[in-house]
Every structure is written in C-alpha cells, then in structure tokens.
Amino acid sequence: MASVLIAFSILFLVYFALQHKRKKGTPFSGPPPAPIIGNLLQLPPTKVWERLFEWGRTYGPIYQFRLFSTPLLVLNTWEAGREMLDGKSALYGNRPLPKIIEMSGFDKGVVLEHDPTRLRQARKLLHSVLQPRPLAQYREILEHHVDVLLHNIMHEPEGYVDHIRHLTAGIAMEISHGHRVTSRDDPFVHRANIFADNFAEASLPNNHIVDWLPFLARFPSWLPGMGFKEKARRFKEQYFSLADEGHRMVKDDIDNGVARPSLTYKALVEGKPGEVPDDVIAFAATQVYTGGADTASLPFQKLISYVQTVSTLSSFILFMVKNPDVQKKAQEEIDRIIGSNRLASFSDRDSLPYTESIINEVLRLRPPVSVVTREAGEDDIHNGYLVEKETVILVNFWGMLRAEEHYPDPHTFNPERWIGRERSDPTHPLNIAFGFGRRSCPGQHLAEELVFTTVARMLALFDIAPIKDEHGNPFIPSDDSTNGGITFPVPFRCSIEPRSDRARWILEGLEHE
C-alpha cells in the first residue's frame, strides 16, 4: 500500500512539474498565499477594493493572489486597464460565470453572455439606441422623467433615493419597450425588482455549493443538498417569462399601431427579418430595464448603468450637503449662464464647466462600481509574466481613481481639479469609471446626459443642506459607503428645499405639465 502511494505521489509531482514547464513566463508577484486557502484570510469582509489598493503600493500596478486554487490578477492603474482590457479585449472580454448563474439562465443577455456572436448582436442593439445620435430622440422622455423627479422631491424630499430609482426605472422602460411608467406599482418594474433580487442571490459568493463543485449540477434533484436546482429552475422561469412578456407587449403594440420608439421596436420593425434572433432582442431589452430596477444588492455585476446613476446622484446629494461653498458656486454659474426663465438641458453642458466639474469629482471619489471582474480566456504572457487561463481579473476602479500621482490629495472632494482639464485626458473619470474593452458600459452616453440634466436642474431649483439637531446645529452625514458591487452612501437624511418662491413656482408648473 505504501509503495502505491509513493508511486502515485511521484506521478503527481512529475505531472505538476510538466504542466508548469509548458507554461513559459513568470507569475506576477503578490502577497504570499497560505497553503490550500491562499490569501483568503488576508482579505477584509467588506470593501475589498481598499485592500487591493494597499497591496498595489507594495506589489505594483499588476499583481496576483490566490483564493484556494483560483488565481486572481489585480489591475490597480488605468494604464494597466487600457493595456490588458483594451489591447487584448478578445482574450479578457468575458466575465466569470458561476454555475448557478448559468443554471438560472442569467447568462442570457448582454451582462454575462459568453457566446461572441450573441454578445455582438446584443451590444449592437444597445448601441442602436444608446449612442449619442439615436439618444437625441429620447431627450424629451429623459427631461420628462427628470421633471417628475424634481416635482416628487419638492413634495417628499425625505424620499429622494426612491424618487431617483423611479427616475431611472421610468427612463429604462421607455427606451427598452416604449412603456411609460406612471406609478411606483407598475407591474413591469415590480417584476424587474423580483429579477434583481433573484440575480443578487444567485451572484452572492459562497452562497451555492454548486459554484465550487459544478459537477453537482448533474446529480438528480431528489438527492439531499440539491435544493439549488429548484431555486435555479424558479429563477430561470421568472426571468424568461419577464423577457417574453415584454417582447410580446411590443409586438402587440406594433400590430395595433400604437408602438412607441424603443430598442425592441427598432429591432423588430427597422431591422432585417431574422437578422437578430427574437430571444437576443428580448433578453437585451429586458436587461436594459432590469438594470434600472432597484438592484442595489447586486454583488460585483455591472448592468446597463441606471443603477450606477442612482449611486452617482445619491453621492452628489451627499457631497452638496457636505460642501455648501461648492454648491453655491455652481448655483451662481447656473444663474449667470442659464438665468431663471428656463431650466438647463444637456446642450448647456459646455457652458457650465463648474457644474460639470462637480459631476466629474463625484464620479472620481465615489465610483458607483468599485471593482469588476473579467476572466482570462486562454493562457497569456503579458510583459513576460504568465496569466493562466481562467485567472479572474479584478479591475479596481476605486484604486485607479485615487492614484496620487494623477489626483493630488486624492481623498478630498475638489471639483476645481477638473477646470480646464480636457475630456480626452486618459485620467478623466469618464474614461475610467465606465470600464475598458468590449465589456465597457454601453449606457455611458445616456448616464452622462441623465446625470448632467438632473444635477443642473436640482442645483437651479433646490438648496441641499444638512438637517439640524434639537439645538440648531447641522448634522453632517458620514462619508461611509455600502458594501457590494454597486456602492451607495450609507443612508442619510438631509434638507432639500426650493431655493426661492420663483423656484417653487417653476416646480409647481412641472406638476401641472
């Protein structure tokens, strides 16, 4: 028996040595791993991006660590992101696909699609409505929903986060299916929220044993411990039903001559028959508006950008509470350039550089997505270093946007740093926070327009200030943020009041319209 074990051990060691000999290149350096578990115990339970940033100071802009047998490669600078994800987008284009996600059908759509043909078709559909030129036809819709937000905030300022979520969901549903959301109880938004909860649960690390032991998916459902199979079946049924119902709604509207412009309408009516399969259209459109639902709990995944917009606008309100001088300076700019006879629109962006600089600094200091994941499709030698196939790539946006060499005093909110700085500057937050390569956020143009319009109109009409305690002293909220793939300021209260009688009159007029 002992001789058999010795022989087996020798064969294993020879095989292991041969495998590594075939792979030319030196592994990237990184924190020394412990046996079996790797660097698991060195990672904090929350805000892992901060630890990744600290390690980068020791091990450089690209380094490697391990969780059990899985290698993870960290990109801590924008230069590294451009070099690997833009320069080798075909190799590093896919996201890791947990087994429970695959079983639930959540790999259908643009977010986690691995089939290159279907991904290309889905992204083309998104670009058909989300690029600057086609977006122009939705500008009136966007401004309508922003005005609804302003009206809702005037009447219920303490619910500003819910109002922002309603704003993004309404715009998303119109763009995806031409459906106007007029109530918080809208059935499509309700079902999108169910999908978001299901997706969040399926995406949680360490939540399903089948993600670590994929072969369990082949076992029959009646065995003990196979409850994940029934859960995946329910998740898939709900998601597919959601996509199918929205798709059929637009088809019925087309047949009845009442369809409004949307991604689905454009694909069905203006595209060549059969050019894009119906299910690709249905899932791409569904992920547009499920991305606008209340998906605050989604871990690490990056949907179309509407949830990021909720995060960015919430952070904007926080920074205005904490920086009244910045708010006053932006209001003076808007009053001087726009006046009081109209509200700013996206076409005023170049005329309001200080307002724009506030948005840039919010996005830099509080990127809504701190880290995203990619996966190496094949072995790669990068600058002489080995990146093994299936290595998980961690793109640390939080760290990239706090590099002191590009952003002096990086932890301080300072919009002035962007005055006179060109939009083409590679260190500009808009060139980093929306990602790199073929998985960069396709909704960036819409997000930029929506955030600018909302911020400029809020500043024109409202004063955003701290609430006061029983002694009349201002209560300044915390800088802390939530944990997770999309981060938000921790819940805080503030005062949001019309700036003047005229501002109140304008807001009342929005209600009438």
Side-chain angles (χ1 to χ4, degrees):
M1 181 67 177
S3 60
V4 173
L5 288 174
I6 292 171
F8 180 79
S9 299
I10 292 172
L11 286 172
F12 177 80
L13 290 172
V14 170
Y15 172 78
F16 185 81
L18 288 173
Q19 286 294 100
H20 279 261
K21 188 174 181 181
R22 289 195 197 108
K23 297 179 179 181
K24 299 178 180 178
T26 304
F28 281 94
S29 64
I36 302 177
I37 63 173
N39 301 98
L40 178 66
L41 298 181
Q42 297 168 260
L43 292 174
T46 62
K47 300 177 184 175
V48 67
W49 47 86
E50 295 182 8
R51 178 62 51 83
L52 300 181
F53 181 62
E54 291 172 9
W55 278 347
R57 293 179 173 177
T58 302
Y59 301 107
I62 306 178
Y63 63 89
Q64 182 171 292
F65 68 98
R66 283 186 177 268
L67 294 181
F68 297 100
S69 62
T70 302
L72 296 95
L73 194 72
V74 180
L75 308 184
N76 246 5
T77 65
W78 69 264
E79 294 93 337
R82 293 275 174 224
E83 193 175 315
M84 292 191 75
L85 303 181
D86 283 349
K88 302 179 180 181
S89 61
L91 182 60
Y92 295 106
N94 278 336
R95 290 189 170 104
L97 187 62
K99 189 63 178 178
I100 193 72
I101 290 285
E102 180 186 343
M103 294 171 65
S104 302
F106 294 157
D107 55 335
K108 304 301 181 186
V110 76
V111 175
L112 286 168
E113 180 63 70
H114 274 218
D115 183 281
T117 300
R118 291 172 62 88
L119 177 62
R120 185 170 58 253
Q121 291 171 332
R123 288 188 67 89
K124 186 177 179 180
L125 288 175
L126 295 179
H127 288 151
S128 74
V129 295
L130 296 178
Q131 289 298 299
R133 183 173 294 179
L135 264 180
Q137 69 177 311
Y138 297 103
R139 187 156 294 153
E140 184 178 344
I141 290 171
L142 183 148
E143 292 182 353
H144 161 78
H145 286 283
V146 171
D147 290 346
V148 170
L149 165 77
L150 300 173
H151 164 260
N152 288 340
I153 288 178
M154 179 184 69
H155 287 285
E156 191 187 351
E158 66 277 7
Y160 65 90
V161 174
D162 289 335
H163 303 324
I164 294 171
R165 287 175 176 158
H166 187 75
L167 160 74
T168 57
I171 292 171
M173 195 70 218
E174 292 220 30
I175 289 178
S176 64
H177 292 83
H179 172 69
R180 174 148 293 187
V181 175
T182 59
S183 166
R184 296 183 194 180
D185 299 323
D186 183 276
F188 278 100
V189 175
H190 173 69
R191 294 180 65 193
N193 287 331
I194 293 175
F195 163 80
D197 290 341
N198 293 346
F199 190 95
E201 185 176 347
S203 302
L204 282 172
N206 304 325
N207 204 34
H208 300 91
I209 190 173
V210 72
D211 289 338
W212 297 101
L213 303 173
F215 65 86
L216 293 178
R218 301 175 185 172
F219 287 12
S221 301
W222 48 264
L223 285 176
M226 295 294 109
F228 63 84
K229 299 193 78 170
E230 172 59 20
K231 181 187 292 185
R233 185 198 65 77
R234 287 189 287 103
F235 287 177
K236 185 173 184 177
E237 181 180 345
Q238 195 271 344
Y239 179 40
F240 280 47
S241 172
L242 182 66
D244 180 65
E245 186 173 333
H247 198 68
R248 285 190 289 106
M249 176 185 70
V250 178
K251 282 190 169 183
D252 290 343
D253 287 347
I254 291 170
D255 291 341
N256 295 325
V258 296
R260 303 173 69 218
S262 68
L263 180 154
T264 307
Y265 176 87
K266 195 177 188 72
L268 292 174
V269 174
E270 300 178 14
K272 296 179 182 177
E275 182 181 18
V276 180
D278 262 23
D279 67 322
V280 171
I281 299 170
F283 287 120
T286 301
Q287 287 195 340
V288 168
Y289 84 87
T290 53
D294 182 7
T295 49
S297 57
L298 285 183
F300 74 73
Q301 294 301 346
K302 187 175 184 180
L303 294 182
I304 302 305
S305 76
Y306 304 109
V307 187
Q308 299 171 56
T309 300
V310 178
S311 169
T312 300
L313 290 176
S314 300
S315 294
F316 157 73
I317 291 173
L318 173 66
F319 284 124
M320 293 303 95
V321 170
K322 298 172 72 69
N323 297 273
D325 293 343
V326 169
Q327 179 179 186
K328 184 177 179 181
K329 188 172 181 179
Q331 289 171 333
E332 289 173 346
E333 177 186 68
I334 292 168
D335 292 344
R336 184 178 71 255
I337 302 298
I338 304 300
S340 59
N341 293 323
R342 68 179 181 92
L343 294 175
S345 65
F346 189 63
S347 60
D348 296 305
R349 187 182 193 182
D350 293 339
S351 302
L352 299 171
Y354 192 75
T355 302
E356 175 73 7
S357 73
I358 291 175
I359 297 170
N360 295 337
E361 186 68 349
V362 169
L363 198 60
R364 183 197 71 82
L365 200 56
R366 300 294 288 268
V369 178
S370 297
V371 176
V372 296
T373 58
R374 299 289 181 269
E375 184 178 62
E378 299 292 341
D379 285 351
D380 181 36
I381 302 298
H382 186 77
N383 294 337
Y385 292 94
L386 173 65
V387 182
E388 297 178 68
K389 180 181 179 180
E390 296 182 353
T391 293
V392 175
I393 313 298
L394 298 176
V395 189
N396 187 5
F397 296 126
W398 189 92
M400 292 177 180
L401 291 164
R402 293 190 183 228
E404 196 161 6
E405 61 270 25
H406 299 308
Y407 318 103
D409 194 12
H411 303 295
T412 298
F413 183 76
N414 178 22
E416 274 76 9
R417 72 173 82 238
W418 301 108
I419 299 297
R421 208 154 166 179
E422 294 295 327
R423 168 69 171 79
S424 58
D425 185 335
T427 67
H428 196 291
L430 292 175
N431 296 326
I432 296 174
F434 287 92
F436 307 102
R438 68 179 183 179
R439 290 284 186 173
S440 60
C441 182
Q444 177 173 352
H445 299 293
L446 176 58
E448 289 185 35
E449 181 163 345
L450 177 56
V451 169
F452 177 84
T453 305
T454 304
V455 165
R457 294 190 176 192
M458 281 196 72
L459 288 169
L461 296 174
F462 292 106
D463 281 323
I464 305 169
I467 60 170
K468 295 183 179 180
D469 62 20
E470 64 273 15
H471 303 295
N473 299 315
F475 179 79
I476 307 300
S478 165
D479 278 330
D480 200 10
S481 66
T482 60
N483 191 46
I486 298 176
T487 62
F488 298 80
V490 294
F492 65 95
R493 295 172 59 204
C494 64
S495 169
I496 308 178
E497 294 290 335
R499 289 178 62 198
S500 64
D501 289 340
R502 179 165 182 79
R504 188 178 297 276
W505 177 80
I506 291 172
L507 288 162
E508 295 290 356
L510 296 179
E511 179 179 16
H512 176 70
E513 291 177 9

